[in-house]
Amino acid sequence: MGNETSKLTSRPQSLEFSRLEKILQDGYEKPSSLPMDFLKAITHDFSKERELGNGGFGIVYKGVLQNGKEIAVKMLRDVNLDDDQFQKEVTILYGLKHRNIVQLVGYCAESKLEYATLETGKHVMAEVRNKRFICFEYLNNKSLDEYISGMIMFQHACCTVLSSL
Ligand SMILES: Nc1ncnc2c1ncn2[C@@H]1O[C@H](COP(=O)(O)OP(=O)(O)OP(=O)(O)O)[C@@H](O)[C@H]1O
């Protein structure tokens, strides 16, 4: 698993990826702008086996850095959030640092220029937005509902054992 990020990258890109890896490994002092190709590499191209869960705003993937450190990469659904909301969300999260709040580690909102043909037949260069992502520290505690239902199952099992004694 260690070298999977570098295998996917060309030379100049791998230097950039190493720099990003270092920032993320050193701690989350300041959230970074993360290129989509980097997020693609650390999530195995957003593969099914890297899926952590599915929320109201998008799918969350596990990203694995070269040193094995993990981060959560949330791919936002286009329909849920417009540009203003995305910027507000990142700006608010950017300033938050508390042990009870999951830490923002990065974000991604890239766009590319593409030729498009209008109904009139005219060609224009249009800015096409890629997917947007918000990345957090990885928490290994499952979701609150899974945690609570796990506790209830555990308590139920204990009661069953005790009542059978
Ligand atoms: N930081 C994280 N570390 C590990 N797993 C995470 C993390 N964030 C989310 N997940 C996983 O992804 C799932 C979906 O998370 P997400 O935050 O998108 O949805 P949610 O908890 O339903 O909240 P929302 O209403 O914001 O969509 C969670 O239930 C959890 O299993």
Side-chain angles (χ1 to χ4, degrees):
M1 188 174 286
N3 278 334
E4 69 187 31
T5 312
S6 55
K7 269 186 223 154
L8 289 166
T9 60
S10 63
R11 186 87 186 105
Q13 204 177 31
S14 70
L15 285 175
E16 169 63 0
F17 284 12
S18 303
R19 186 186 70 79
L20 293 167
E21 292 254 349
K22 186 154 172 26
I23 292 172
L24 293 172
Q25 283 160 23
D26 284 351
Y28 308 128
E29 275 313 307
K30 195 166 157 274
S32 312
S33 168
L34 301 168
M36 184 164 149
D37 282 346
F38 177 73
L39 300 179
K40 214 171 165 177
I42 64 170
T43 57
H44 256 166
D45 205 357
F46 308 109
S47 65
K48 192 82 191 149
E49 80 265 15
R50 287 295 181 80
E51 244 183 75
L52 289 170
N54 212 324
F57 286 92
I59 304 175
V60 183
Y61 296 89
K62 185 194 278 184
V64 184
L65 306 181
Q66 284 191 37
N67 71 346
K69 188 168 180 170
E70 293 153 334
I71 65 168
V73 179
K74 188 186 276 195
M75 182 194 275
L76 298 171
R77 279 190 202 96
D78 293 332
V79 286
N80 287 121
L81 220 58
D82 64 31
D83 283 337
D84 271 0
Q85 286 173 302
F86 177 75
Q87 281 174 23
K88 272 190 200 137
E89 174 108 6
V90 171
T91 308
I92 291 167
L93 290 168
Y94 198 95
L96 290 176
K97 205 169 174 67
H98 188 275
R99 63 192 169 89
N100 293 340
I101 300 174
V102 66
Q103 182 68 46
L104 174 75
V105 302
Y107 49 88
C108 170
E110 290 175 2
S111 58
K112 57 188 174 197
L113 288 177
E114 268 183 14
Y115 255 122
T117 308
L118 301 179
E119 280 176 9
T120 57
K122 195 178 165 194
H123 301 295
V124 290
M125 187 72 98
E127 190 171 353
V128 181
R129 200 181 55 213
N130 279 338
K131 290 255 176 228
R132 287 167 303 182
F133 302 84
I134 304 185
C135 305
F136 298 93
E137 65 178 311
Y138 175 71
L139 299 176
N140 203 9
N141 302 339
K142 301 187 176 169
S143 60
L144 187 59
D145 58 340
E146 283 170 315
Y147 179 77
I148 291 170
S149 62
M151 289 281 287
I152 292 169
M153 299 266 282
F154 178 70
Q155 281 169 357
H156 181 71
C158 290
C159 291
T160 312
V161 170
L162 286 174
S163 62
S164 67
L165 292 177

